[in-house]
Amino acid sequence: MTFAATVLTLYPEMFPGPLGLSLAGDALARGLWGLETRNIREHGIGRHRAVDDTPAGGGPGMVLRCDVLAKALDAALAPDDPRPRLLMSPRGRPLTQARARTLAAGPGAVILCGRFEGVDERVIEARALEEVSIGDYVLSGGEIAALVLLDAVVRLLPGVMGQAASGSEESFEGDLLEYPHYTRPREWEGRAIPDVLLGGNHAAIARWRRAEAERLTAARRPDLLARFRRPDA
Ligand code: SAH
């Protein structure tokens, strides 16, 4: 079973976009994951295929209609579709590496991309959509957020990353930021690679990397370090 993503959007031409290149693009071409886009507009109303209307109660902007979105969702879902139904939304639970891992271990995801002021609340309730945010800022649409989520998930799928190990030591895996990396040249603009990394003592290298990861996490993300020190918290 390969991870199957279905994206509902007003801008299907934004996909696969950057996910058609590099790691994710190679994996897509090799069939390690699947991507289907569906244009919400196909379910729009009337001759103009209207998908939005003015907000009840007044205020700026337009709101995506619940009836149109529900039709688009229902058409995209197979009977008993086991995939989580996600709505990209700044109000959602922030995306984490842990959530990306759970998604990568599952059958895929159906992802609804909002636009304008957002979507009519009733379709979120009626279709049990899980709102997911990619951070505390506002984008103009859910498409880039969906690309971010899919990128984080796809690189975790079996066979996508060359070296299996290069997933488990990274930032956020284990709630620590990653240690610093170096490569050739050995000296550059008067800056040398730390001696310990050139000494060939693997235990010492592991200790140094661990200490650096903790130091960087304490300096930049004390919130993560608190979680790391109390794993059950
Ligand atoms: N009025 C809304 C913002 C709408 S932005 C509010 O204040 O909450 C338009 C669309 O962009 C949203 O429906 C959502 O799909 C997407 N979007 C914007 N910011 C996002 C974020 N941080 N994470 C995920 N999706 C986001």
Side-chain angles (χ1 to χ4, degrees):
M1 179 191 63
T2 52
F3 182 92
T6 297
V7 178
L8 284 74
T9 168
L10 287 169
Y11 298 97
E13 47 292 45
M14 286 194 188
F15 296 85
L19 298 184
L21 302 164
S22 191
L23 206 70
D26 293 343
L28 189 59
R30 284 158 60 210
L32 295 177
W33 67 293
L35 175 66
E36 171 197 31
T37 50
R38 295 193 163 231
N39 195 337
I40 296 167
R41 182 78 57 191
E42 281 170 24
H43 301 275
I45 289 168
R47 204 159 51 84
H48 296 291
R49 298 255 161 246
V51 296
D52 57 345
D53 211 325
T54 53
M62 299 294 273
V63 175
L64 287 168
R65 292 175 59 123
C66 52
D67 50 356
V68 172
L69 293 179
K71 269 195 272 176
L73 276 163
D74 296 346
L77 291 163
D80 300 318
D81 202 310
R83 295 175 296 169
R85 297 184 288 271
L86 313 180
L87 168 65
M88 303 318 297
S89 160
R91 298 191 321 191
R93 187 189 291 257
L95 178 65
T96 60
Q97 189 64 16
R99 186 75 186 98
R101 274 219 180 274
T102 335
L103 285 168
V110 179
I111 307 175
L112 179 58
C113 301
R115 276 274 154 185
F116 320 125
E117 284 309 311
V119 315
D120 187 310
E121 191 71 20
R122 292 169 293 178
V123 73
I124 305 177
E125 296 165 6
R127 294 297 180 273
L129 303 181
E130 174 192 343
E131 293 180 69
V132 180
S133 167
I134 65 156
D136 291 341
Y137 39 77
V138 180
L139 306 168
S140 51
E143 288 77 10
I144 291 176
L147 290 168
V148 167
L149 179 141
L150 287 172
D151 186 80
V153 169
V154 163
R155 61 194 291 286
L156 298 175
L157 296 173
V160 172
M161 265 192 296
Q163 277 178 313
S166 86
S168 56
E169 283 194 12
E170 286 175 319
S171 295
F172 306 116
E173 299 286 349
D175 289 335
L176 286 180
L177 301 179
E178 200 179 46
Y179 50 80
H181 294 292
Y182 299 89
T183 185
R184 279 181 275 275
R186 195 164 170 153
E187 193 165 317
W188 176 75
E189 295 193 353
R191 294 162 193 272
I193 295 177
D195 283 337
V196 62
L197 298 179
L198 304 169
N201 180 338
H202 295 295
I205 291 170
R207 271 197 308 279
W208 180 87
R209 286 180 166 166
R210 177 58 166 233
E212 283 294 293
E214 290 196 30
R215 181 183 66 77
L216 284 168
T217 310
R220 297 179 186 183
R221 295 292 304 276
D223 56 313
L224 288 179
L225 200 63
R227 262 203 292 175
F228 169 73
R229 292 210 167 122
R230 283 177 293 114
D232 38 39

